[in-house]
């Protein structure tokens, strides 16, 4: 049990969601919604109901973000393992397309972009 908390603490400082952090997130939201459900049952207050809905939608959003982050990480790992072409260059797409137009302070450089530049 103490190993979980040590890995959770170390996982906070690592990029991306670690399994311990995901488990702790789900346990925290489950506890929060359980408490809000019991408060809603006892008080029957509209404010507690609104807070419960906000907490539920936040949990859904955080879960979606974790899934998208993990999907993006696996997609990037697949792109990193693409083979090189015959001339030795990578098959990955460059973040800057070759037909880009840009303006510097001293000059204007236009490459083979057929579209007009935006002012």
């Amino acid at each position: 049990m103490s190993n979980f908390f040590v890995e959770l603490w170390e996982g906070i400082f690592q990029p991306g969601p670690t399994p311990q952090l995901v488990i702790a997130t789900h346990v925290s939201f489950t506890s929060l919604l359980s408490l809000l459900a019991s408060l809603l049952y006892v008080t029957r207050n509209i404010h507690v109901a609104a807070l419960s809905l906000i907490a539920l939608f936040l949990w859904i959003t955080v879960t979606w973000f974790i899934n998208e982050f993990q999907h993006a990480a696996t997609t990037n790992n697949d792109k990193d393992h693409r083979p090189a072409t015959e001339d030795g260059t990578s098959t990955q797409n460059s973040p800057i397309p070759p037909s880009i137009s840009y303006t510097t302070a001293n000059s204007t450089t236009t490459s083979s972009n057929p579209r007009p530049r935006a002012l």
Side-chain angles (χ1 to χ4, degrees):
M1 184 65 149
S2 64
N3 189 25
F4 174 79
F5 291 111
V6 170
E7 290 178 5
L8 175 65
W9 181 258
E10 291 172 355
I12 292 173
F13 302 108
Q14 295 176 359
T18 61
Q20 292 79 17
L21 191 58
V22 172
I23 291 170
T25 301
H26 291 307
V27 168
S28 299
F29 274 110
T30 303
S31 301
L32 175 64
L33 287 175
S34 299
L35 176 68
L36 288 173
S38 64
L39 281 174
L40 183 62
Y41 178 75
V42 170
T43 62
R44 302 201 194 287
N45 189 342
I46 189 73
H47 298 97
V48 176
L51 190 58
S52 299
L53 283 175
I54 292 170
L56 178 65
F57 289 138
L58 180 63
W59 188 10
I60 291 169
T61 304
V62 167
T63 303
W64 171 82
F65 182 77
I66 289 170
N67 290 335
E68 287 295 317
F69 194 86
Q70 290 173 342
H71 176 70
T74 57
T75 303
N76 286 340
N77 286 341
D78 292 342
K79 287 181 182 177
D80 289 342
H81 298 295
R82 288 185 184 171
T85 59
E86 292 175 3
D87 62 351
T89 59
S90 175
T91 59
Q92 295 180 10
N93 292 334
S94 173
I96 300 174
S99 60
I100 191 167
S101 299
Y102 58 93
T103 304
T104 61
N106 297 332
S107 66
T108 302
T109 303
T110 305
S111 64
S112 62
N113 190 355
R115 292 178 291 170
R117 285 188 340 185
L119 297 177

